[in-house]
Amino acid sequence: MADLRLENVVKQYGRVKAINGLNLEVPDGKLVTILGPSGCGKTTTLRCLSGFLVPEYGRIFVGGKDVTEIPPERRGIGMVFQNYALWPHMTVYKNLAFGLQLRKIHKAAIKSKVEQVLATVRLSGYEDRYPRELSGGQQQRVALARALVLEPEILLLDEPLSNLDAILREQMRFELAQLQKRFGITTIYVTHDQTEAMVISDTVVLMNEGRSMQQGSPADIYRNPANKFVAGFMGMTNFLEAQIVEALNGFAKVRTTDGLELVVEQSVIPDQSDVCIMIRPEHIAFLNETNDPRENEEHNICDARVTRATYLGGTVDYELTIGEHRIRTLGDTQPRYQVNQEVRVRLDSEQMRLVCN
């Protein structure tokens, strides 16, 4: 296996920089997800890594070796495509064996390798089936097995679950993560689905307009976003435009555009006075639904009005109006509040964050 490193990689199409100075380090055996909206540069990054595209600037290293201009077949990289790209006229066995045959591996060794990998992905007994005879999840595992059987140093996955239904996609997230850990292959996983990224990743690289907006663990990016874009992309978020009134020793008193005063506990306070408050729905509590010992504190308690209540099974998604702002919060499984009902809520000062626009 090997580590992976990108140094100031730039890829242009005309005047448009699809990748704009990307730096990335992936330690040996880790899984890094490149996450972002359509057109952010994540697939272009994957194609540069695989060798299908050559960047205008920057270098790509695999195991310390510069592979920037080395063709795909000599990079030691395996790839699983979004549409799986299985050969429809070949059986499962032949799909896996083909790449090994090109390497002139002995027939007995090919059989052993194919059987071992199929057992690992729980497809033993499917050797003689054709892709059309498999479910979507089985095809996805065959595509993964075909990459793994070649024992690549780096594995690239291009939105491999996007063609599956919601329930199967959720199951396969965990299976993929377990298989990656079992094989210990350095892996780059591309997706636009932030839940997928949260489930499977050691590190998330969130991109926008060809640039890396933030790199870190899923928990760190979710809890401590670098800016408003990151906060909004990583899960449901409420934003309140505000101005810092006073900042001292990890606390900031802020005033929203409609005059609401709040206290935010944060170790690093932005230098600029105009900021944006972000708070996740799970950090807004109805006062009569919590035993929080701090609920009697005077700050961050607001009068609100329910403008929407949506039953989601495990929770109720409420939209509230606080002054001129509309925010969302989550209640327990039983709808307790009705539209137009007046309520009181507490915004958790420890969980709010001040971010720059």
Side-chain angles (χ1 to χ4, degrees):
M1 307 310 164
D3 60 347
L4 177 67
R5 188 169 82 254
L6 283 75
E7 293 184 354
N8 196 33
V9 171
V10 175
K11 180 61 186 175
Q12 294 185 212
Y13 297 105
R15 294 185 177 181
V16 177
K17 291 184 177 180
I19 311 174
N20 192 357
L22 180 62
N23 292 287
L24 173 63
E25 291 191 20
V26 185
D28 184 12
K30 297 298 183 180
L31 191 156
V32 170
T33 294
I34 300 177
L35 175 69
S38 297
C40 73
K42 55 187 185 294
T43 297
T44 301
T45 301
L46 206 67
R47 291 178 67 81
C48 287
L49 288 171
S50 64
F52 294 124
L53 292 175
V54 178
E56 277 72 26
Y57 306 100
R59 313 307 295 172
I60 300 171
F61 297 88
V62 173
K65 179 183 178 182
D66 189 341
V67 300
T68 310
E69 298 180 12
I70 291 178
E73 66 273 14
R74 293 174 49 203
R75 293 196 179 195
I77 289 177
M79 188 161 183
V80 178
F81 297 92
Q82 184 174 348
N83 62 358
Y84 312 142
L86 300 175
W87 290 294
H89 62 289
M90 292 185 181
T91 63
V92 168
Y93 182 91
K94 290 182 178 179
N95 263 279
L96 269 66
F98 184 72
L100 298 172
Q101 291 168 347
L102 292 178
R103 296 185 177 185
K104 309 297 184 182
I105 295 177
H106 191 273
K107 187 175 181 179
I110 290 176
K111 185 174 186 296
S112 176
K113 285 177 178 289
V114 170
E115 290 177 349
Q116 182 180 3
V117 172
L118 286 177
T120 303
V121 298
R122 297 187 293 110
L123 285 176
S124 296
Y126 288 76
E127 291 86 348
D128 296 328
R129 295 196 187 185
Y130 288 89
R132 63 179 179 274
E133 298 173 322
L134 303 174
S135 68
Q138 290 167 341
Q139 290 182 42
Q140 192 275 334
R141 278 185 276 159
V142 172
L144 180 62
R146 186 176 62 179
L148 293 173
V149 78
L150 297 175
E151 300 179 354
E153 292 185 306
I154 306 290
L155 181 63
L156 306 179
L157 301 170
D158 186 10
E159 302 200 42
L161 307 183
S162 61
N163 293 326
L164 305 180
D165 63 67
I167 294 176
L168 185 56
R169 187 163 63 245
E170 183 178 11
Q171 294 172 349
M172 291 305 302
R173 289 170 187 161
F174 295 104
E175 289 199 20
L176 275 174
Q178 291 170 356
L179 285 169
Q180 189 274 334
K181 297 299 182 189
R182 189 178 306 167
F183 280 86
I185 296 178
T186 307
T187 301
I188 304 292
Y189 188 106
V190 163
T191 183
H192 63 274
D193 186 326
Q194 59 93 7
T195 303
E196 266 181 34
M198 297 281 282
V199 169
I200 69 173
S201 307
D202 295 307
T203 298
V204 174
V205 178
L206 181 53
M207 293 185 67
N208 189 39
E209 297 181 346
R211 296 181 179 275
S212 170
M213 296 288 101
Q214 189 171 351
Q215 300 182 19
S217 69
D220 185 51
I221 290 181
Y222 185 82
R223 294 170 183 165
N224 301 296
N227 52 48
K228 187 176 181 180
F229 171 82
V230 175
F233 198 87
M234 293 298 290
M236 191 189 307
T237 312
N238 298 297
F239 294 110
L240 296 87
E241 301 294 331
Q243 190 170 53
I244 297 176
V245 176
E246 182 181 4
L248 181 65
N249 297 330
F251 290 82
K253 181 182 290 185
V254 298
R255 183 179 296 116
T256 66
T257 52
D258 60 352
L260 179 65
E261 290 197 350
L262 300 169
V263 173
V264 180
E265 297 180 30
Q266 185 167 321
S267 57
V268 179
I269 306 299
D271 292 334
Q272 63 193 72
S273 59
D274 292 323
V275 293
C276 187
I277 304 170
M278 64 144 287
I279 184 166
R280 305 285 184 186
E282 61 266 29
H283 298 140
I284 301 172
F286 292 98
L287 286 187
N288 60 338
E289 287 189 3
T290 177
N291 294 318
D292 189 337
R294 299 171 298 168
E295 70 175 29
N296 293 322
E297 294 179 3
E298 295 182 359
H299 60 261
N300 296 3
I301 295 178
C302 308
D303 293 318
R305 182 171 57 86
V306 178
T307 52
R308 188 182 69 224
T310 305
Y311 179 67
L312 301 178
T315 59
V316 179
D317 181 351
Y318 290 101
E319 181 186 74
L320 308 176
T321 298
I322 299 178
E324 297 176 357
H325 294 91
R326 290 199 172 190
I327 63 173
R328 292 170 69 180
T329 186
L330 303 174
D332 61 21
T333 56
Q334 297 300 319
R336 297 192 180 196
Y337 306 105
Q338 306 300 318
V339 173
N340 292 323
Q341 183 173 345
E342 300 294 329
V343 295
R344 299 195 85 202
V345 294
R346 180 181 181 278
L347 282 61
D348 192 334
S349 61
E350 294 182 354
Q351 298 299 333
M352 286 194 288
R353 294 290 181 269
L354 301 179
V355 293
C356 300
N357 289 311

